[in-house]
């Protein structure tokens, strides 16, 4: 292709050169034709003028001179005049003078034409020289362009060769990538198979554990029943008058207590069966006291672990400091780049001096709030995916986190590695919260389920199908509240298998916050509003919005202040918005440290500090 292009360009260059030569030759012929007639005429004119000058010199009359009769002028021959008709010299002189004047006029005109033609010839010659110089310049430019074209052709050839090599390498990489993708698919299938087998093994192990516990509880219950039956059939001697000596009246009382099949039946009739109209110190015999202790143990059946007679009474949560009046934050006291990537979750401990943050880097950092600054306390490792939610138990000794690896994980505060992994979900776990005791928890997931967990046994005690992606959950005594992607808030009772109430909202629900008195619920949704729901009447009481406030993601968190006077949320522009719950007005807007969307906020239980986290790895302590 390059050779054919060069041949075509050379042919076109030779063509225009020949065209220029032909034009120049045509112009020379035209100009020469004009001068071919003029120059001979001018030469003849000069010859005639010279001849006339010579004749005029000869014909000059001399004084007393007579022309001989034998002299013959050439004009006489030409005119063929007779000798008797020869004009006089004066007549000839006048005639010659007139002819001379005419010739002079013709000569002047010819000379003027010669000058004009010479000027035109000079102009044409200068134009020719200019065109020749331009032609030389163009020829030099053409030579340069030819050289540049040859160089470009060499570069094109080299680049084509490079492109061919790169294409071959690309095809090789594509083939390798296809092989790698096939291997990856095989590994993913193998991983899914392994996960399914692991889940099945855990389910079997949990079922076997539950079966063993149930057998153990039944055996223990049977032993207690037998012991109780033997105890209540024995004869007990009771003295009516303890002040009289041994001759007092003694009555043998035979008491038979039939053990019912269900413990709650004992609760209803125990008071009547064990009611006495008299008491005595002699009633404290070893057998009777043992019997009474056993029955009292049965009557305290309410809070047994796993609803079994042989269980240990469940520990209730410690009291949380009550905030009388929360303080509105005004300025940022401390700003830290806490994680390697965005921070998704933040939570204060019950004592307000310990803070936990979780991010997409699969780490949970614990911080101490000391003197208005955050000091690193500990780092909890072992999470299998990005952290989406963190929560302290009521005692502050354990921390529960939801992760993207389809599980929730439990840590003991002070230990780096995870204590338990609550697996069973089939998609990302988006929320994990403790209930009112440290031994029970609730998780929500994008697999459209909410699960209740017994943390002592590390097994799922109940699975609720919620029909939509669950983005957040909060827990009361017996009520579980879940916020969903289908713009609904659902209420579930732990004692009832079905949903007890649904409250629709505008926009996907991103977070829920329950007030400390459990009477109000705060929801944040993607329609850029916060809503306060009065749980006593199950109605939306207030809707908060503001110019500039926009919900930045599907996991943006909003919270109540500890005294429920304010509602706090972060916006996608990095600002914090605080509304007064009593008046419904925007109370304050905090801007400054955050340069990315705020993901989560937390208000400490004492009401003195607020912490916010964003998608740019920052955590900010506000005071």
């Amino acid at each position: 292709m390059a050779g054919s292009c060069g041949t075509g360009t050379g042919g076109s260059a030779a063509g225009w050169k020949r065209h220029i030569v032909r034009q120049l030759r045509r112009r020379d012929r035209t100009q020469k034709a004009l001068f071919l007639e003029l120059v001979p005429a001018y030469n003849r004119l000069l010859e005639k003028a010279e001849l006339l000058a010579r004749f005029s010199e000869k014909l000059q009359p001399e004084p007393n001179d007579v022309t001989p009769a034998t002299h013959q002028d050439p004009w006489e021959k030409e005119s063929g005049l007779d000798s008797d008709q020869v004009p006089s010299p004066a007549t000839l002189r006048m005639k010659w003078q007139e002819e001379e004047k005419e010739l002079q006029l013709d000569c002047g005109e010819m000379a003027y034409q010669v000058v004009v033609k010479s000027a035109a010839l000079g102009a044409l010659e200068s134009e020719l020289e200019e065109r020749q110089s331009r032609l030389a310049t163009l020829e030099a430019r053409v030579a340069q362009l030819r050289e540049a074209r040859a160089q470009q052709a060499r570069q094109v050839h080299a680049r084509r060769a490079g492109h061919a090599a790169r294409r071959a390498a690309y095809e090789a990489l594509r083939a390798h990538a296809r092989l790698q993708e096939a291997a990856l698919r095989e590994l993913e299938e193998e991983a899914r198979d392994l996960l399914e087998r692991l889940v099945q093994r855990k389910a079997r192990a949990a079922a076997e554990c539950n079966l063993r516990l149930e057998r153990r509880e039944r055996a223990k219950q049977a032993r207690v029943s037998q012991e109780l039956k033997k105890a209540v059939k024995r004869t007990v001697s009771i003295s009516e008058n303890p002040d009289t000596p041994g001759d007092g009246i003694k009555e043998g009382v035979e008491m038979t207590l039939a053990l019912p099949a269900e413990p709650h039946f004992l609760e209803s009739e125990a008071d009547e069966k064990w009611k006495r109209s008299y008491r005595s110190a002699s009633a404290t015999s070893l057998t009777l006291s043992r019997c009474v202790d056993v029955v009292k143990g049965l009557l305290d059946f309410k809070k047994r672990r796993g609803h079994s007679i042989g269980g240990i009474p469940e520990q209730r949560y410690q009291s949380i400091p009550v905030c009388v009046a929360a303080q509105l934050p005004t300025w940022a006291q401390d700003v830290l780049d806490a994680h390697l990537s965005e921070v998704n979750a933040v939570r204060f401990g019950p004592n307000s001096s310990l803070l936990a943050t979780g991010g997409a880097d699969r780490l949970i950092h614990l911080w101490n709030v000391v003197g208005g600054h955050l000091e690193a306390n500990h780092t909890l490792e072992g999470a299998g995916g990005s952290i989406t939610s963190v929560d302290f138990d009521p005692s502050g000794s354990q921390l529960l986190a939801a992760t993207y690896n389809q599980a929730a994980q439990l840590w003991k505060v002070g230990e780096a590695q995870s204590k338990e992994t609550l697996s069973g979900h089939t998609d990302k776990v988006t929320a994990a919260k403790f209930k009112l005791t440290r031994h029970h928890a609730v998780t929500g997931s994008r697999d459209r389920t909410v699960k209740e967990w017994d943390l002592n046994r590390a097994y799922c005690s109940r699975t609720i199908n919620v029909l939509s992606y669950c983005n957040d959950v909060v827990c009361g005594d017996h009520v579980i509240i879940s916020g969903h992607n289908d713009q609904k808030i659902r209420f579930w009772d732990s004692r009832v298998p079905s949903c007890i109430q649904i409250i629709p909202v505008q926009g996907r629900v991103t977070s829920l916050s329950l007030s400390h008195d459990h009477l109000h619920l705060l929801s944040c949704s993607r329609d850029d509003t916060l809503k306060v729901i009065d749980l006593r009447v199950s109605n939306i009481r207030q809707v908060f919005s503001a110019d500039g406030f926009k919900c930045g993601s599907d996991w943006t968190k909003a919270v109540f202040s500890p005294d429920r006077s304010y509602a706090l949320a972060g916006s996608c522009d990095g600002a914090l918005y605080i509304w007064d719950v009593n008046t419904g007005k925007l109370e304050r807007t905090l801007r400054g440290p955050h340069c990315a969307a705020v993901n989560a906020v937390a208000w400490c239980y004492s009401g003195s500090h607020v912490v916010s986290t964003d998608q740019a790895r920052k955590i900010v302590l506000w005071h």
Side-chain angles (χ1 to χ4, degrees), residues 104-240:
Q104 287 178 356
L105 290 174
D106 293 339
C107 183
E109 290 179 1
M110 292 292 184
Y112 177 73
Q113 290 181 4
V114 167
V115 171
V116 172
K117 297 294 184 182
S118 299
L121 181 61
L124 291 173
E125 288 178 352
S126 63
E127 184 179 357
L128 178 61
E129 290 177 357
E130 182 181 358
R131 290 188 178 182
Q132 287 177 350
S133 63
R134 286 176 59 191
L135 179 61
T137 304
L138 290 173
E139 287 178 350
R141 178 63 178 166
V142 165
Q144 292 178 358
L145 291 176
R146 285 179 178 175
E147 184 179 357
R149 179 182 172 281
Q151 185 177 0
Q152 293 290 335
R154 290 192 296 271
Q155 291 180 0
V156 167
H157 182 70
R159 288 184 180 179
R160 284 179 178 173
H163 289 167
R166 292 190 188 95
R167 186 174 183 82
Y170 172 70
E171 294 296 336
L173 288 175
R174 284 188 62 185
H176 182 67
R178 285 194 293 268
L179 294 176
Q180 294 293 330
E181 287 177 357
L184 177 61
R185 284 194 295 270
E186 292 178 358
L187 290 175
E188 287 178 348
E189 291 176 359
E190 184 178 357
R192 281 195 295 269
D193 294 339
L194 290 174
L195 183 60
E196 290 177 0
R197 290 166 59 188
L198 178 61
V199 171
Q200 291 173 1
R201 287 186 180 182
K202 283 198 171 185
R204 286 197 298 268
E208 292 174 359
C209 181
N210 292 339
L211 184 58
R212 286 196 300 270
L213 289 174
E214 288 177 3
R215 289 175 179 173
R216 191 179 304 165
E217 297 299 339
R218 290 196 191 106
K220 189 178 294 185
Q221 183 179 359
R223 287 197 301 270
V224 172
S225 300
Q226 293 296 330
E227 187 177 356
L228 188 59
K229 287 179 181 179
K230 292 178 182 179
V232 297
K233 287 181 180 180
R234 294 179 183 177
T235 302
V236 180
S237 298
I238 300 176
S239 175
E240 293 183 356

Side-chain angles (χ1 to χ4, degrees), residues 39-91:
V39 172
Y42 180 69
N43 290 334
R44 286 194 301 271
L45 180 62
L46 290 178
E47 290 176 358
K48 287 184 179 181
E50 185 179 359
L51 182 60
L52 288 173
R54 285 198 305 266
F55 281 138
S56 61
E57 287 177 359
K58 290 179 181 181
L59 293 176
Q60 287 293 332
E62 294 182 0
N64 301 320
D65 186 15
V66 179
T67 303
T70 59
H71 178 73
Q72 290 185 355
D73 193 73
W75 283 284
E76 291 179 359
K77 294 180 180 180
E78 293 178 3
S79 59
L81 295 175
D82 297 335
S83 59
D84 56 354
Q85 294 179 354
V86 173
S88 63
T91 304

Side-chain angles (χ1 to χ4, degrees), residues 267-575:
E267 286 188 25
S268 63
E269 297 186 357
D271 293 336
E272 293 180 3
K273 285 184 178 290
W274 290 97
K275 194 175 293 183
R276 294 286 186 271
S277 60
Y278 51 87
R279 291 181 181 273
S280 171
S282 62
T284 59
S285 65
L286 180 61
T287 304
L288 182 60
S289 63
R290 183 178 179 186
C291 179
V292 172
D293 289 340
V294 171
V295 174
K296 289 175 77 175
L298 288 174
L299 294 178
D300 289 336
F301 180 74
K302 291 184 195 177
K303 296 295 180 181
R304 299 282 178 167
R305 175 170 60 95
H307 301 290
S308 60
I309 293 179
I312 301 172
E314 196 172 78
Q315 297 180 8
R316 304 298 293 178
Y317 60 86
Q318 299 177 357
S319 61
I320 297 175
V322 177
C323 173
V324 178
Q327 301 175 12
L328 281 177
T330 56
W331 57 287
Q333 276 189 314
D334 200 3
V335 180
L336 296 175
D337 286 335
H339 289 259
L340 301 177
S341 57
E342 63 177 306
V343 188
N344 298 326
V346 62
R347 189 80 170 183
F348 274 102
N351 59 2
S352 297
S353 62
L354 185 63
L355 178 73
T357 59
D361 57 358
R362 304 184 178 186
L363 296 177
I364 298 176
H365 293 299
L366 299 181
W367 310 85
N368 291 327
V369 182
V370 180
H373 295 282
L374 296 174
E375 295 181 357
N377 179 305
H378 201 62
T379 299
L380 306 181
E381 301 175 349
S386 299
I387 307 297
T388 57
S389 170
V390 293
D391 190 33
F392 284 98
D393 74 339
S395 67
S397 61
Q398 295 184 118
L399 187 138
L400 182 66
T403 64
Y404 269 10
N405 70 333
Q406 304 178 6
Q409 293 182 251
L410 182 68
W411 284 266
K412 187 174 181 180
V413 175
E415 297 180 0
Q417 294 300 321
S418 173
K419 175 183 174 183
E420 289 288 350
T421 298
L422 308 178
S423 59
H425 287 288
T426 59
D427 205 338
K428 300 174 183 177
V429 180
T430 54
K433 301 290 177 63
F434 283 99
K435 298 186 77 172
L436 295 183
T437 62
R438 61 194 299 265
H439 301 298
H440 291 87
V442 175
T443 58
S445 170
R446 292 179 66 87
D447 64 358
R448 297 180 175 87
T449 64
V450 171
K451 292 181 180 288
E452 295 185 63
W453 301 86
D454 186 338
L455 299 181
N456 282 329
R457 304 177 184 178
Y459 87 105
C460 177
S461 59
R462 183 188 180 192
T463 299
I464 305 171
N465 294 314
V466 295
L467 305 177
S468 177
Y469 293 162
C470 178
N471 290 329
D472 201 5
V473 296
V474 291
C475 307
D477 191 7
H478 295 291
V479 176
I480 300 171
I481 307 173
S482 56
H484 297 276
N485 213 44
D486 62 353
Q487 307 179 9
K488 292 179 181 178
I489 299 174
R490 292 178 169 87
F491 294 75
W492 312 86
D493 194 323
S494 298
R495 301 161 296 185
V496 179
S498 60
C499 179
I500 59 175
Q501 189 174 3
I502 297 177
I503 296 179
V505 294
Q506 298 297 324
R508 299 190 297 272
V509 179
T510 65
S511 72
L512 299 173
S513 175
L514 193 63
S515 63
H516 288 291
D517 57 7
H518 290 192
L519 298 179
H520 294 84
L521 178 70
L522 177 68
S523 72
C524 178
S525 54
R526 289 309 298 269
D527 62 346
D528 303 328
T529 62
L530 274 64
K531 299 174 182 66
V532 176
I533 300 172
D534 192 336
L535 299 180
R536 293 168 293 187
V537 294
S538 300
N539 259 346
I540 297 176
R541 174 184 166 190
Q542 287 173 308
V543 178
F544 300 138
S545 62
D547 293 337
F549 174 72
K550 291 186 180 296
C551 188
S553 65
D554 284 346
W555 51 89
T556 299
K557 301 294 188 294
V559 296
F560 273 127
S561 63
D563 60 351
R564 200 188 57 77
S565 298
Y566 303 102
L568 169 66
S571 175
C572 66
D573 60 356

Side-chain angles (χ1 to χ4, degrees), residues 571-592:
S571 175
C572 66
D573 60 356
L576 269 63
Y577 291 79
I578 304 175
W579 289 270
D580 190 322
V581 175
N582 298 320
T583 63
K585 296 181 180 179
L586 180 65
E587 189 70 22
R588 186 165 296 174
T589 302
L590 302 176
R591 300 181 184 274

